[in-house]
């Protein structure tokens, strides 16, 4: 099913034409209405009329979270406050939150791209969508809400938390589509299992999981445990919220709604654009956003872009699942390590629970990684020798994956924190 | 002749052993014998108690990782060389002992030792052949 065939299956030529026209307009609006852009572009001797083709965008400076923070709260808005109908903020876990402002039209765009996303997961107006993303300033909850309403499906705005109630509602209401973070999906599965709920008897069919990094192994776990199709959703507050990109049932990358969000991939080191298929940092430009245009926003998310018609019929560019962040990538003794690599290695081993924690320390001027893994029933033995060999096996397996020796510590089941929102997988205790 | 032993995975964390023991206390089970194997990071608590299944359930309910294993309980003459004699029997039969620990209580004049061998059946056979008392599980649980 495709929500908007005209937009999602557009020919490349037609799309590029539309993108260029919208890009000119977006840059012009940013330059004319947001002092930040005007100042930076003037400094770079750049005028909006210099945009003659899409590739000209690469001449413009990047914007980043730091600048958005400086503009706190409303300095990045491009319209008068009385045209802003809604505001959201990023979680603010890494400092001052970023405020995003939406005009009435921005909300319509958001609803549209979210409707496309939910339709990719098979949602129709006959569905019941249980939305376990948090409602409030966070964009997750409201974004899914708008999309569901746009489709005309039934939204259950249950928000995050209260796991027992979530399960009860899922059974009683006959939920068919679920939306939450992948770590919460696993948590729900665990709780359902404990409550003796047979997932095969539940109507759940598909889920849109996002707002944090996850892997194919986690997807397999979720699909097995919750008995549904688990699809990846991507978005960020700075750009609009969830719905920037979404995986279709072909599971071959996330379709970016590129008539609204223009993607580029750059090398996080040289900051130069990279070709399709090459892995680098995703940079996004909003083409239609009125309230807060974002030109060349560095997402810090690491991915690669792939073009060509997808098996589902859509022609929009697809991004790979996020495999890391250029800022939470760990540099351990000079080696770049993404937590996702460790997760992947862990989950390749039998009997390992998908709950783990990575702790980075620097005891004697040398980085050390400790990986805490829960000792499940499957790997526990009453012999020290056997448990130590399990631990060594995990250590060796991770070493092969990341090229570094780590220390694995077996901890008791359920002793690692479970999250109802974004999971904290990495604790960096290094004082750099 | 096999006796069920409960093993519990313990993280090296303050109070964890006590929590495990309190769980057993709350299930109103009295520990007959125990041992702890420990490494820098974790420990394994091994227990012999009257109702292993009940203990297992209670511990699992409290999120402990638990395993049930078969062990042998033998009566050992409480005199110098008593245990050595038992081990010689197993050694001569080519059976490796993984670990062993002793009961606090005695059975009459004899000491009681828990043995975990690679293979249980042949060990029991060898011990019996050498006239060493292997205690039946019912008797162990009712000690």
């Amino acid at each position: 099913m495709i929500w908007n065939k005209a937009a999602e299956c557009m020919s490349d030529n037609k799309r590029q034409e539309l993108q260029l026209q919208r890009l000119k307009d977006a840059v012009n609006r940013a330059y004319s209405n947001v002092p930040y852009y005007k100042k930076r572009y003037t400094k770079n001797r750049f005028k909006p009329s210099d945009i003659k083709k899409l590739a000209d965008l690469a001449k413009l400076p990047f914007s980043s979270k730091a600048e958005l923070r400086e503009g706190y709260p409303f300095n990045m808005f491009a319209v008068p406050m009385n045209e802003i109908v809604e505001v959201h903020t990023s979680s603010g876990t890494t400092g001052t939150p970023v405020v995003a402002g939406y005009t009435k039209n921005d909300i319509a765009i958001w609803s549209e791209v979210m409707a496309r996303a939910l339709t990719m997961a098979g949602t129709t107006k006959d569905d019941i969508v249980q939305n376990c993303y948090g409602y409030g300033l966070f964009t997750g909850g409201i974004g899914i809400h708008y999309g569901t309403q746009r489709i005309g499906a039934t939204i259950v705005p249950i928000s995050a938390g209260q796991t027992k109630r979530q399960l009860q509602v899922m059974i009683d209401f006959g939920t068919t589509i679920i939306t939450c973070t992948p770590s919460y999906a696993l948590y729900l599965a665990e709780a359902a299992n404990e409550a003796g709920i047979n997932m095969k008897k539940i109507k759940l069919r598909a889920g849109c999981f996002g707002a944090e990094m996850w892997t194919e192994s986690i997807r397999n776990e979720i699909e097995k445990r919750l008995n549904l199709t688990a699809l990846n959703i991507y978005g960020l507050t700075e750009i609009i919220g969830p719905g920037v990109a979404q995986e279709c049932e072909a599971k071959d990358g996330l379709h970016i709604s590129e008539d609204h969000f223009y993607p580029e991939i750059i090398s996080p080191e040289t900051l130069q654009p990279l070709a399709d298929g090459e892995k680098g940092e995703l940079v996004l430009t909003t083409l239609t956003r009125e309230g807060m245009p974002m030109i060349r926003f560095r997402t810090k998310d690491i991915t690669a872009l792939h073009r060509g018609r997808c098996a589902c019929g859509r022609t929009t560019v697809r991004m790979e699942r996020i495999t890391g962040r250029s800022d939470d990538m760990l540099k351990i003794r000079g080696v770049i390590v993404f937590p996702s690599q460790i997760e992947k290695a862990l989950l390749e081993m039998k009997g390992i629970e998908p709950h783990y924690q990575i702790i980075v320390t620097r005891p004697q001027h040398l980085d050390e990684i400790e990986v805490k893994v829960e000792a499940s029933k499957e790997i526990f033995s009453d012999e020290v020798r056997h448990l130590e060999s399990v631990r060594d096996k995990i250590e060796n397996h991770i070493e092969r994956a990341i090229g570094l020796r780590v220390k694995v510590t077996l901890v008791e089941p359920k002793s690692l924190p479970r999250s109802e929102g974004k999971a904290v997988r990495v604790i960096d205790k290094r004082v750099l | 002749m096999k006796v069920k032993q409960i093993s519990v995975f313990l993280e090296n964390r303050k109070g964890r052993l006590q929590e495990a023991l309190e769980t057993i206390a709350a299930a109103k089970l009295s520990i007959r014998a125990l041992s702890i194997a420990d490494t820098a990071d974790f420990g394994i608590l091994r227990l012999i108690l009257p109702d292993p299944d009940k203990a297992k359930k209670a511990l699992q309910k409290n999120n402990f990782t638990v395993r049930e294993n078969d062990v042998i309980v033998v009566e050992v003459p409480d005199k110098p060389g008593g245990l050595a004699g038992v081990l010689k029997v197993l050694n001569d039969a080519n059976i490796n002992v993984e670990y062993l620990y002793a009961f606090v209580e005695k059975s009459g004049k004899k000491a009681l030792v828990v043995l975990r061998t690679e293979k249980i059946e042949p060990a029991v056979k060898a011990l019996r052949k050498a006239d060493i008392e292997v205690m039946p599980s019912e008797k162990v649980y009712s000690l």
Side-chain angles (χ1 to χ4, degrees):
Chain A
M1 266 169 309
I2 296 172
W3 174 255
N4 184 342
K5 262 199 176 132
E8 296 174 79
C9 306
M10 208 180 270
S11 72
D12 288 353
N13 283 342
K14 220 172 142 198
R15 183 185 316 107
Q16 282 161 12
E17 201 180 302
L18 177 72
Q19 283 174 326
L20 179 60
Q21 174 204 328
R22 287 182 168 176
L23 178 66
K24 284 179 180 169
D25 180 50
V27 171
N28 201 14
R29 278 185 288 114
Y31 178 86
S32 319
N33 303 319
V34 185
Y36 159 80
Y37 287 112
K38 183 159 212 164
K39 213 169 110 195
R40 296 207 62 193
Y41 293 177
T42 310
K43 205 172 139 203
N44 284 275
R45 292 185 191 162
F46 176 87
K47 293 185 306 298
S49 56
D50 292 340
I51 299 263
K52 301 254 187 313
K53 50 187 189 300
L54 284 170
D56 290 335
L57 179 61
K59 295 177 186 161
L60 289 180
F62 297 105
S63 41
S64 71
K65 224 176 174 115
E67 283 115 22
L68 289 180
R69 285 204 186 111
E70 265 173 48
Y72 180 87
F74 302 146
N75 290 347
M76 294 300 286
F77 293 1
V79 296
M81 248 344 250
N82 62 8
E83 280 179 44
I84 296 286
V85 299
E86 189 167 325
V87 287
H88 283 279
T89 71
S90 64
S91 52
T93 40
T94 47
T96 313
V98 168
V99 184
Y102 301 73
T103 64
K104 211 171 167 186
N105 198 33
D106 290 339
I107 297 293
I109 291 164
W110 196 9
S111 308
E112 158 72 18
V113 294
M114 264 314 309
R116 292 182 193 174
L118 288 162
T119 306
M120 280 187 227
T123 312
T124 68
K125 65 185 187 42
D126 297 323
D127 278 297
I128 295 176
V129 180
Q130 186 161 336
N131 184 12
C132 326
Y133 283 112
Y135 277 68
L137 281 173
F138 172 57
T139 50
I142 306 276
I144 302 277
H145 191 98
Y146 285 145
T148 308
Q149 299 227 308
R150 183 83 178 81
I151 291 173
T154 310
I155 183 89
V156 183
I158 192 161
S159 198
Q162 301 199 59
T163 307
K164 270 192 186 145
R165 195 164 138 216
Q166 297 275 5
L167 293 170
Q168 198 58 51
V169 163
M170 198 180 288
I171 296 166
D172 295 346
F173 293 10
T175 303
T176 51
I177 308 282
I178 187 168
T179 54
C180 62
T181 57
S183 55
Y184 190 60
L186 281 174
Y187 183 75
L188 268 176
E190 210 171 67
N193 184 39
E194 265 167 35
I197 297 168
N198 181 359
M199 293 314 293
K200 296 223 159 79
K201 290 198 175 141
I202 282 185
K203 288 185 177 167
L204 270 188
R205 199 177 72 232
C208 293
F209 306 110
E212 67 184 18
M213 245 184 284
W214 52 313
T215 57
E216 279 302 312
S217 334
I218 294 260
R219 188 214 297 272
N220 295 339
E221 282 300 313
I222 294 175
E223 294 198 327
K224 198 170 73 196
R225 294 188 187 189
L226 285 179
N227 193 39
L228 47 65
T229 302
L231 299 172
N232 203 343
I233 182 163
Y234 176 79
L236 57 171
T237 309
E238 292 83 353
I239 298 301
I240 201 147
V244 171
Q246 164 77 41
E247 229 175 2
C248 65
E249 278 161 310
K251 292 180 184 167
D252 190 19
L254 292 80
H255 290 275
I256 300 178
S257 273
E258 51 174 336
D259 49 332
H260 294 289
F261 317 110
Y262 187 82
E264 298 168 87
I265 299 289
I266 60 159
S267 151
E269 274 105 43
T270 66
L271 304 185
Q272 290 308 305
L274 296 176
D276 287 342
E278 280 189 78
K279 239 179 202 187
E281 182 181 324
L282 177 69
V283 171
L284 289 168
T285 296
T286 60
L287 296 176
T288 48
R289 184 103 180 257
E290 296 172 345
M292 195 170 80
M294 272 292 114
I295 312 293
R296 300 200 89 199
F297 179 74
R298 287 188 62 180
T299 65
K300 308 276 177 181
D301 289 322
I302 304 291
T303 182
L305 298 179
H306 297 282
R307 297 191 196 266
R309 184 182 288 270
C310 175
C312 69
R314 291 177 184 84
T315 54
T316 41
V317 68
R318 281 160 289 144
M319 60 183 253
E320 288 175 14
R321 68 164 60 247
I322 305 293
T323 49
R325 279 182 58 82
S326 58
D327 60 352
D328 79 14
M329 85 188 175
L330 294 164
K331 245 190 169 172
I332 311 292
R333 288 177 240 158
V335 179
I336 288 172
V337 176
F338 289 110
S340 58
Q341 290 175 288
I342 295 178
E343 175 181 308
K344 189 163 166 269
L346 277 177
L347 296 183
E348 275 163 10
M349 303 194 68
K350 247 182 121 175
I352 305 286
E353 289 288 312
H355 303 286
Y356 62 93
Q357 204 165 46
I358 299 164
I359 296 152
V360 189
T361 52
R362 184 172 282 180
Q364 247 108 42
H365 309 294
L366 203 60
D367 300 332
E368 302 271 355
I369 312 184
E370 181 189 0
V371 181
K372 288 191 173 181
V373 178
E374 290 189 358
S376 65
K377 231 168 42 208
E378 288 74 34
I379 63 171
F380 177 54
S381 137
D382 73 322
E383 279 171 57
V384 172
R385 156 170 83 98
H386 181 240
L387 273 182
E388 284 181 336
S389 89
V390 167
R391 190 194 57 200
D392 294 347
K393 235 172 117 189
I394 303 173
E395 286 180 350
N396 291 338
H397 196 69
I398 295 177
E399 187 178 3
R400 275 197 296 276
I402 65 171
L404 280 175
R405 193 75 192 159
V406 303
K407 174 184 160 40
V408 166
T409 308
L410 297 174
V411 299
E412 286 170 24
K414 310 219 165 124
S415 66
L416 294 178
R418 302 294 198 263
S419 83
E420 300 195 342
K422 294 193 187 198
V424 180
R425 304 284 202 200
V426 181
I427 297 172
D428 199 335
K429 291 183 177 167
R430 288 176 295 182
V431 183
L432 301 176
Chain B
M1 285 309 114
K2 290 180 269 185
V3 174
K4 276 184 180 163
Q5 169 196 263
I6 297 293
S7 312
V8 188
F9 178 82
L10 290 179
E11 223 178 281
N12 263 1
R13 204 150 38 96
K14 197 172 166 283
R16 267 325 256 173
L17 176 58
Q18 198 206 339
E19 279 164 47
L21 295 177
E22 265 170 9
T23 305
I24 293 161
K28 296 207 171 9
L29 293 169
S30 189
I31 297 163
R32 305 319 330 166
L34 98 170
S35 92
I36 294 177
D38 70 310
T39 71
D41 300 322
F42 62 85
I44 301 167
L45 170 66
R46 303 176 184 128
L47 300 160
I48 304 286
L49 9 70
D51 191 342
D53 287 333
K54 191 174 171 195
K56 188 178 171 187
K57 276 188 192 125
L59 286 162
Q60 279 176 336
K61 216 176 149 207
N62 282 285
N63 290 335
F64 284 99
T65 302
V66 185
R67 204 183 176 92
E68 232 178 51
N69 279 100
D70 291 330
V71 292
I72 307 168
V73 175
V74 290
E75 294 186 27
V76 179
D78 193 8
K79 60 174 193 203
L83 183 56
V86 173
L87 293 183
K88 186 173 185 307
V89 171
L90 294 173
N91 197 20
D92 289 347
N94 250 329
I95 294 165
N96 279 332
V97 175
E98 311 269 8
Y99 54 80
L100 63 78
Y101 54 99
F103 271 64
V104 181
E105 286 164 80
K106 278 190 182 182
S107 166
K109 288 217 154 148
K110 292 194 169 169
L112 290 174
V113 170
V114 180
L115 281 173
R116 165 82 176 163
T117 53
E118 274 176 334
K119 290 172 205 134
I120 301 288
E121 302 290 351
V124 171
K125 228 182 232 170
L127 290 166
R128 285 248 164 97
K129 217 171 137 196
D131 281 332
I132 291 166
E133 278 297 325
V134 177
M135 203 176 246
S137 53
E138 313 85 61
K139 211 171 150 196
V140 173
Y141 300 147
S142 62
L143 274 172

